[in-house]
Amino acid sequence: MKQSGPLSGIKILDFTHVLAGPFGTTLLGDLGAEVIKVEAPGGDSTRSNGPPFQNGESAFFFCVNRNKKSIVIDLKTNEGRSIVERMISDCDVIVENFRPGTLDRLGLGYEAASKIRPDIIYASLNAFGSTGPYKDRPGFELIIQGLTGLVDITTQPGQDPAKIQIQIVDLCGGMFLAMSIMAALYHRERTGRGQRTECSLLESTMAVMANYIGIYLMSGKVPHGLGTKNAQAVPSQAFKTKDSYVLVVSHGRLWTRFCKALEKPEWIDDPEMGSDAYRIENRDRVEAMIEEVTRRKTTAEWLEIFQAHQVASGPINTLEELFNDPQVIDQKIVTSVQHPKAGEAKLLSPPFHFSECDSAVFLAPPAYGQHTSEILKSSGFSTDEITEFKRQKVVDGD
């Protein structure tokens, strides 16, 4: 499929690796940008992360590298840096997620890049920011979940520490990175001026903790140990049923429907139970009263009852159950692609839908150095030059 979309015509030089940065550039590729993934010799470390593997190709790498091309360049060589400098003149955006100062030391930082192309957008993602006492620390998902309070918020009282299992820190960092790049591109469209934009995993994570941080900043109270519960709403959590659990969200104006579904109409006008504030302040008592009712029927029975009363509810699915869900099947969220080494592979489709342009899996995740020669030729290098680069191991791949 020909790559198109709202960002069609934008060329991105992508130095990101592992998860956070590559997720951000994947989103830009989904929107039609041409993303050139620059890998060091040996490739992005996630190429070897596994299992699972499919014909030697990693599921980890596949999940955040669709809609990209791969070129392998040794940036520690003068020739490799010269290749990148030539490529910069023909690209719109540079994206990197090294520790602060890494590309500057290689002569490929923002100041150097902007001399080659003054209107370049130079986007950096790091763990803790480019200043401060933590700027040179390695930043991993688990460390930042602990630092920001996410582990404390999630862990049930008296239980072992529990993190959010999806890589929420990395994925949110990648989303904010992509957002900042699009904003900088729009600014350039209006003014003709490029700029540097920077995001950190620390700030991105705190940004998506808005409601809980809001509680603390206003009241000084610290929400913690919530599990599936919502600090600002009751009921909004999992309740035990006769055979498992059911998830329910029925605070505010939804409370009346919930009471009718439970056959507890007396709770509707009760001055205590009918008050959102009372239920939050006395959640242990209220939750026990609700669960005394929900334990009487199975999850399937409650889901049928709640649906009939238009109560927001759902099961706790496994991933297998998720992909057998009729809504997921209807939305065609999974796409099959052909990969030169893995063969047919299944990927998530982009999470965007437009009425006037495309968003799709235009390219399978690239094999290691799959597009090295193609990209170098498009940058004006001759066949002889490319052959010599490969002989000197300045570049690698096809």
Side-chain angles (χ1 to χ4, degrees):
M1 181 186 296
K2 183 179 178 181
Q3 197 152 352
S4 60
L7 293 183
S8 181
I10 297 296
K11 183 179 287 189
I12 297 174
L13 208 53
D14 178 13
F15 292 95
T16 66
H17 53 287
V18 191
L19 182 58
F23 182 63
T25 52
T26 288
L27 296 175
L28 299 173
D30 290 346
L31 293 168
E34 181 184 359
V35 180
I36 298 172
K37 184 177 180 70
V38 182
E39 301 185 65
D44 189 318
S45 63
T46 59
R47 287 188 179 276
S48 59
N49 279 36
F53 296 99
Q54 185 167 313
N55 294 336
E57 298 294 315
S58 163
F60 195 156
F61 180 84
F62 268 37
C63 76
V64 286
N65 284 289
R66 62 180 180 262
N67 289 333
K68 300 179 185 180
K69 298 177 180 178
S70 168
I71 182 172
V72 177
I73 306 176
D74 187 351
L75 298 180
K76 296 180 180 179
T77 65
N78 291 331
E79 295 83 358
R81 291 191 293 273
S82 295
I83 291 171
V84 171
E85 289 170 355
R86 192 154 158 183
M87 294 171 67
I88 288 172
S89 64
D90 188 38
C91 76
D92 299 283
V93 182
I94 293 173
V95 193
E96 60 92 11
N97 67 335
F98 296 108
R99 291 192 197 181
T102 298
L103 285 187
D104 292 285
R105 290 189 288 272
L106 292 172
L108 297 172
Y110 173 62
E111 296 300 327
S114 61
K115 289 178 181 177
I116 299 170
R117 179 160 180 173
D119 65 348
I120 195 76
I121 306 300
Y122 197 104
S124 298
L125 175 66
N126 49 53
F128 300 105
S130 58
T131 62
Y134 295 175
K135 70 180 181 66
D136 293 321
R137 289 188 182 184
F140 290 92
E141 173 80 26
L142 179 61
I143 306 306
I144 293 176
Q145 281 203 31
L147 177 68
T148 57
L150 281 178
V151 170
D152 181 63
I153 289 171
T154 303
T155 301
Q156 297 269 16
Q159 301 297 310
D160 290 338
K163 75 165 193 170
I164 298 172
Q165 280 300 315
I166 63 166
Q167 302 291 96
I168 189 73
V169 170
D170 285 330
L171 298 176
C172 287
M175 285 190 283
F176 281 111
L177 177 70
M179 185 185 302
S180 72
I181 290 168
M182 288 188 286
L185 285 168
Y186 180 67
H187 179 266
R188 189 179 74 177
E189 182 72 18
R190 292 188 295 111
T191 67
R193 297 175 59 187
Q195 63 181 301
R196 182 170 188 173
T197 177
E198 180 182 317
C199 298
S200 75
L201 299 181
L202 173 63
E203 291 172 285
S204 298
T205 305
M206 292 177 70
V208 297
M209 294 170 64
N211 58 325
Y212 290 103
I213 286 179
I215 293 171
Y216 174 73
L217 293 178
M218 181 172 287
S219 69
K221 294 181 179 179
V222 182
H224 61 92
L226 295 176
T228 64
K229 301 175 184 180
N230 185 330
Q232 295 171 300
V234 176
S236 179
Q237 65 210 80
F239 288 102
K240 290 181 181 178
T241 65
K242 194 172 185 178
D243 59 350
S244 58
Y245 289 86
V246 64
L247 298 171
V248 175
V249 178
S250 288
H251 52 88
R253 289 178 293 179
L254 302 175
W255 174 248
T256 297
R257 299 178 191 172
F258 181 63
C259 293
K260 291 178 179 178
L262 293 187
E263 297 183 351
K264 289 288 185 178
E266 65 272 20
W267 289 354
I268 297 172
D269 297 319
D270 185 287
E272 292 183 341
M273 293 292 285
S275 164
D276 281 343
Y278 175 87
R279 295 196 303 275
I280 293 170
E281 292 167 356
N282 298 272
R283 68 164 58 240
D284 289 345
R285 172 176 179 264
V286 173
E287 289 166 358
M289 292 172 67
I290 293 172
E291 202 159 80
E292 194 276 327
V293 179
T294 60
R295 284 175 177 270
R296 300 172 188 170
K297 299 181 187 296
T298 66
T299 295
E301 289 173 326
W302 279 122
L303 289 174
E304 185 175 350
I305 292 168
F306 288 147
Q307 185 175 357
H309 285 81
Q310 295 185 310
V311 170
S313 59
I316 299 177
N317 277 340
T318 63
L319 282 180
E320 181 179 14
E321 289 166 333
L322 168 68
F323 282 101
N324 286 314
D325 187 282
Q327 184 67 25
V328 173
I329 294 170
D330 176 83
Q331 294 297 297
K332 298 179 175 60
I333 294 174
V334 176
T335 298
S336 291
V337 296
Q338 286 295 324
H339 187 272
K341 293 186 177 179
E344 184 177 1
K346 294 180 179 180
L347 305 173
L348 284 178
S349 303
F352 314 104
H353 304 280
F354 300 96
S355 63
E356 297 295 326
C357 46
D358 295 327
S359 176
V361 180
F362 306 108
L363 296 170
Y368 172 77
Q370 179 181 346
H371 305 93
T372 294
S373 296
E374 174 190 326
I375 293 167
L376 291 175
K377 287 177 182 177
S378 69
S379 296
F381 292 98
S382 67
T383 300
D384 289 343
E385 288 177 304
I386 295 170
T387 300
E388 183 63 16
F389 289 148
K390 290 183 178 180
R391 187 189 70 78
Q392 295 181 6
K393 298 184 178 179
V394 174
V395 303
D396 198 4
D398 296 333

